[in-house]
Amino acid sequence: MANSPETAPLLLERESFLLDLLRELSGTLEDVVGIDEAEGYVSLVGQAIGSKIDHDYKDALSLSSLTREQVGEVLLDLKRRIQGDFYIVEETPDYIVFGNHKCPFGDRVLGRPSLCMMTSNVFGHIASENLKYAKVELKETIANGADQCRVVLYFNQNGEDGREYFKRS
Protein backbone atom coordinates (compact mmCIF):
# COMPACT_ATOMS: atom_id res chain seq x y z
CA MET A 1 0.00 0.00 0.00
CA ALA A 2 1.41 3.38 -0.99
CA ASN A 3 2.08 6.06 1.60
CA SER A 4 -0.06 9.13 1.48
CA PRO A 5 1.24 12.67 1.99
CA GLU A 6 -0.54 12.71 5.37
CA THR A 7 1.46 9.75 6.65
CA ALA A 8 4.80 10.62 5.03
CA PRO A 9 7.58 10.86 7.65
CA LEU A 10 8.26 14.60 7.31
CA LEU A 11 9.40 16.96 10.03
CA LEU A 12 7.32 19.80 8.66
CA GLU A 13 5.31 21.97 10.98
CA ARG A 14 4.55 25.65 11.37
CA GLU A 15 7.49 26.67 13.59
CA SER A 16 10.17 24.92 11.54
CA PHE A 17 8.61 26.25 8.33
CA LEU A 18 8.67 29.85 9.63
CA LEU A 19 12.25 29.50 10.90
CA ASP A 20 13.33 28.10 7.52
CA LEU A 21 11.51 30.97 5.81
CA LEU A 22 13.36 33.56 7.93
CA ARG A 23 16.69 31.85 7.34
CA GLU A 24 16.21 31.80 3.58
CA LEU A 25 14.87 35.38 3.49
CA SER A 26 17.83 36.70 5.49
CA GLY A 27 20.26 34.65 3.40
CA THR A 28 18.78 35.98 0.18
CA LEU A 29 19.03 39.55 1.47
CA GLU A 30 22.64 39.00 2.55
CA ASP A 31 23.52 37.53 -0.86
CA VAL A 32 21.69 40.15 -2.95
CA VAL A 33 22.30 43.41 -1.09
CA GLY A 34 25.15 42.46 1.27
CA ILE A 35 25.36 41.97 5.03
CA ASP A 36 25.19 45.66 5.97
CA GLU A 37 22.07 46.34 3.90
CA ALA A 38 20.45 43.08 5.04
CA GLU A 39 21.07 44.14 8.64
CA GLY A 40 19.37 47.43 7.81
CA TYR A 41 16.24 45.69 6.53
CA VAL A 42 16.11 43.33 9.51
CA SER A 43 16.65 46.35 11.78
CA LEU A 44 13.46 47.94 10.48
CA VAL A 45 11.52 44.79 11.32
CA GLY A 46 13.22 44.63 14.73
CA GLN A 47 12.21 48.20 15.47
CA ALA A 48 8.56 47.45 14.68
CA ILE A 49 8.64 44.25 16.76
CA GLY A 50 10.41 46.09 19.61
CA SER A 51 7.73 48.77 19.59
CA LYS A 52 4.96 46.18 19.79
CA ILE A 53 6.67 44.19 22.55
CA ASP A 54 7.39 47.37 24.54
CA HIS A 55 3.74 48.40 24.28
CA ASP A 56 2.50 44.89 25.16
CA TYR A 57 4.64 44.64 28.31
CA LYS A 58 3.73 48.13 29.52
CA ASP A 59 0.07 47.39 28.87
CA ALA A 60 0.23 44.03 30.67
CA LEU A 61 2.07 45.57 33.63
CA SER A 62 -0.15 48.69 33.68
CA LEU A 63 2.88 50.96 33.34
CA SER A 64 3.51 54.00 31.20
CA SER A 65 7.28 53.51 31.35
CA LEU A 66 9.80 50.89 32.48
CA THR A 67 12.68 51.52 34.87
CA ARG A 68 16.21 50.38 34.03
CA GLU A 69 15.70 47.31 36.22
CA GLN A 70 12.37 46.53 34.57
CA VAL A 71 13.93 46.87 31.12
CA GLY A 72 16.43 44.12 32.02
CA GLU A 73 13.65 41.92 33.42
CA VAL A 74 11.47 42.43 30.33
CA LEU A 75 14.32 41.60 27.96
CA LEU A 76 15.10 38.38 29.82
CA ASP A 77 11.43 37.43 29.96
CA LEU A 78 10.78 38.04 26.27
CA LYS A 79 13.80 35.94 25.28
CA ARG A 80 12.61 33.17 27.63
CA ARG A 81 9.15 33.27 26.07
CA ILE A 82 10.58 32.83 22.56
CA GLN A 83 12.83 29.97 23.72
CA GLY A 84 16.14 31.76 24.01
CA ASP A 85 18.46 31.04 26.94
CA PHE A 86 19.48 34.58 27.89
CA TYR A 87 20.85 35.41 31.32
CA ILE A 88 22.65 38.31 32.96
CA VAL A 89 26.43 37.97 33.12
CA GLU A 90 27.09 41.39 34.66
CA GLU A 91 24.96 44.37 35.58
CA THR A 92 25.95 47.90 36.58
CA PRO A 93 24.03 51.19 36.52
CA ASP A 94 25.65 51.90 33.12
CA TYR A 95 25.18 48.58 31.29
CA ILE A 96 23.95 45.00 31.32
CA VAL A 97 25.94 42.16 29.77
CA PHE A 98 23.68 39.36 28.58
CA GLY A 99 24.82 35.85 27.78
CA ASN A 100 22.89 33.35 25.73
CA HIS A 101 23.40 29.66 25.01
CA LYS A 102 20.35 29.06 22.80
CA CYS A 103 19.20 31.33 19.99
CA PRO A 104 15.44 31.66 19.50
CA PHE A 105 16.11 31.05 15.78
CA GLY A 106 17.77 27.73 16.67
CA ASP A 107 20.37 26.42 14.23
CA ARG A 108 18.76 28.48 11.45
CA VAL A 109 20.79 31.48 12.70
CA LEU A 110 24.13 29.87 11.80
CA GLY A 111 25.76 31.90 9.06
CA ARG A 112 22.97 34.50 9.13
CA PRO A 113 24.37 37.41 11.18
CA SER A 114 21.70 39.79 9.88
CA LEU A 115 19.17 37.96 12.07
CA CYS A 116 21.07 39.23 15.13
CA MET A 117 19.68 42.68 14.31
CA MET A 118 16.38 41.43 15.73
CA THR A 119 17.99 41.17 19.18
CA SER A 120 19.89 44.43 18.78
CA ASN A 121 16.85 46.40 17.67
CA VAL A 122 14.34 44.88 20.08
CA PHE A 123 16.73 45.44 23.01
CA GLY A 124 17.72 48.91 21.79
CA HIS A 125 14.20 50.04 21.02
CA ILE A 126 12.71 48.92 24.34
CA ALA A 127 15.58 50.40 26.35
CA SER A 128 15.65 53.73 24.49
CA GLU A 129 11.89 54.23 24.52
CA ASN A 130 11.89 53.88 28.29
CA LEU A 131 15.28 55.34 29.20
CA LYS A 132 15.79 57.84 26.34
CA TYR A 133 19.01 56.23 25.04
CA ALA A 134 20.56 52.81 24.51
CA LYS A 135 23.50 51.29 22.68
CA VAL A 136 23.70 47.60 21.86
CA GLU A 137 26.98 45.85 21.18
CA LEU A 138 26.90 42.31 19.82
CA LYS A 139 30.26 41.12 21.16
CA GLU A 140 29.80 37.45 20.26
CA THR A 141 27.05 35.74 18.32
CA ILE A 142 26.07 32.17 17.61
CA ALA A 143 25.28 33.32 14.06
CA ASN A 144 28.98 34.10 13.54
CA GLY A 145 30.11 30.74 14.93
CA ALA A 146 30.57 31.46 18.65
CA ASP A 147 29.24 28.86 21.06
CA GLN A 148 27.28 31.58 22.86
CA CYS A 149 26.12 35.16 22.47
CA ARG A 150 27.41 38.12 24.47
CA VAL A 151 25.27 41.23 24.13
CA VAL A 152 26.02 44.46 25.97
CA LEU A 153 23.22 46.97 26.51
CA TYR A 154 24.60 50.39 27.44
CA PHE A 155 22.41 53.09 28.98
CA ASN A 156 24.76 56.04 28.41
CA GLN A 157 26.69 57.34 25.44
CA ASN A 158 30.30 56.15 25.54
CA GLY A 159 33.19 55.29 23.29
CA GLU A 160 32.23 51.62 23.01
CA ASP A 161 31.25 49.99 19.73
CA GLY A 162 27.62 49.30 19.09
CA ARG A 163 24.41 50.48 17.49
CA GLU A 164 22.80 53.52 19.11
CA TYR A 165 19.09 53.97 19.77
CA PHE A 166 17.30 57.14 20.78
CA LYS A 167 13.81 57.68 22.16
CA ARG A 168 11.42 58.73 19.44
CA SER A 169 9.83 62.08 20.20
Side-chain angles (χ1 to χ4, degrees):
M1 185 164 179
N3 285 339
S4 73
E6 292 175 0
T7 61
L10 294 173
L11 294 174
L12 181 61
E13 41 81 30
R14 182 178 173 181
E15 184 176 336
S16 67
F17 172 78
L18 291 174
L19 289 171
D20 287 342
L21 178 73
L22 283 171
R23 176 177 171 71
E24 294 308 316
L25 178 59
S26 64
T28 299
L29 278 171
E30 290 174 11
D31 291 345
V32 172
V33 299
I35 297 280
D36 290 342
E37 292 296 321
E39 287 178 350
Y41 286 114
V42 175
S43 292
L44 292 172
V45 175
Q47 180 179 348
I49 296 293
S51 182
K52 180 186 182 324
I53 291 170
D54 181 50
H55 177 268
D56 290 349
Y57 270 99
K58 288 190 284 198
D59 227 24
L61 298 169
S62 299
L63 297 169
S64 61
S65 185
L66 301 172
T67 66
R68 196 196 66 68
E69 292 76 19
Q70 290 168 325
V71 165
E73 292 168 3
V74 162
L75 298 179
L76 285 177
D77 184 67
L78 82 87
K79 287 298 188 175
R80 177 191 59 80
R81 288 177 187 256
I82 62 172
Q83 299 179 19
D85 185 23
F86 279 68
Y87 56 93
I88 292 177
V89 173
E90 181 182 359
E91 186 169 7
T92 76
D94 297 322
Y95 62 85
I96 300 174
V97 179
F98 294 93
N100 174 43
H101 292 292
K102 181 181 170 195
C103 181
F105 293 116
D107 63 355
R108 274 48 164 235
V109 78
L110 297 174
R112 297 293 190 264
S114 64
L115 287 175
C116 298
M117 287 298 101
M118 287 299 295
T119 294
S120 180
N121 278 271
V122 169
F123 278 29
H125 183 81
I126 291 173
S128 66
E129 284 302 304
N130 290 282
L131 306 172
K132 297 187 179 147
Y133 174 84
K135 182 188 289 187
V136 178
E137 182 181 10
L138 302 171
K139 285 193 169 280
E140 296 178 36
T141 65
I142 294 168
N144 282 325
D147 61 349
Q148 63 183 349
C149 295
R150 281 283 189 264
V151 179
V152 184
L153 175 62
Y154 298 100
F155 302 111
N156 301 303
Q157 291 179 313
N158 56 41
E160 300 295 333
D161 289 336
R163 185 176 292 255
E164 292 184 298
Y165 301 88
F166 299 89
K167 180 178 176 75
R168 291 183 292 172
S169 299

